[in-house]
Structure formats: C-alpha cells, structure tokens
Amino acid sequence: TDKHTANNPFQAAMEGLVTNPNVKVLFCQNTAASKGVVLANMLDGVGFVTAGVSAITDLQSSGYKYIQP
C-alpha cells in the first residue's frame, strides 16, 4: 500500500524492512510530532516509541546494538 508520495526515496527500503520477520521498525513519536508526520500515513508494521533516545538506551541495556546508518 503506497501511503506516501511517489518521491519518497526510502519507500521501498522501508517496505522491505517492515515485512522482514527479523527486523522491528520503531518510530519516535516526539520526532513525528515535531516534523508534522501524520501517523495514519505510516506503513503497516511500523511500531512507535514515545522517545527514541530513551528507547535506544532501554534496548541497549537489554543487549541490542545500535547501528548508525
């Protein structure tokens, strides 16, 4: 389902990630609010966290690794 404009350079990559059973895509609600992102337009399969920075810290303390693109 194309919920975004045709000029979104990340559309195909994100669609691949959200359908990968080994990947969990999380989006910061604070960033969404500050950038005016309409949450209803997000791809199915994208999860949300209240604050991305604290979510990264919580996940790292659980053994996850942060990989910067």
Side-chain angles (χ1 to χ4, degrees):
T1 303
D2 187 8
K3 296 183 177 184
H4 308 281
T5 61
N7 64 356
N8 182 345
F10 305 107
Q11 180 82 24
M14 291 306 300
E15 287 174 348
L17 288 172
V18 297
T19 58
N20 184 326
N22 297 313
V23 175
K24 187 171 187 178
V25 177
L26 301 172
F27 191 77
C28 174
Q29 290 178 325
N30 289 336
T31 299
S34 72
K35 300 291 185 182
V37 173
V38 177
L39 299 183
N41 288 343
M42 297 300 295
L43 292 171
D44 294 335
V46 173
F48 297 94
V49 294
T50 304
V53 172
S54 62
I56 289 169
T57 302
D58 292 344
L59 289 165
Q60 285 178 321
S61 69
S62 298
Y64 287 85
K65 303 294 180 207
Y66 178 73
I67 301 171
Q68 186 172 349

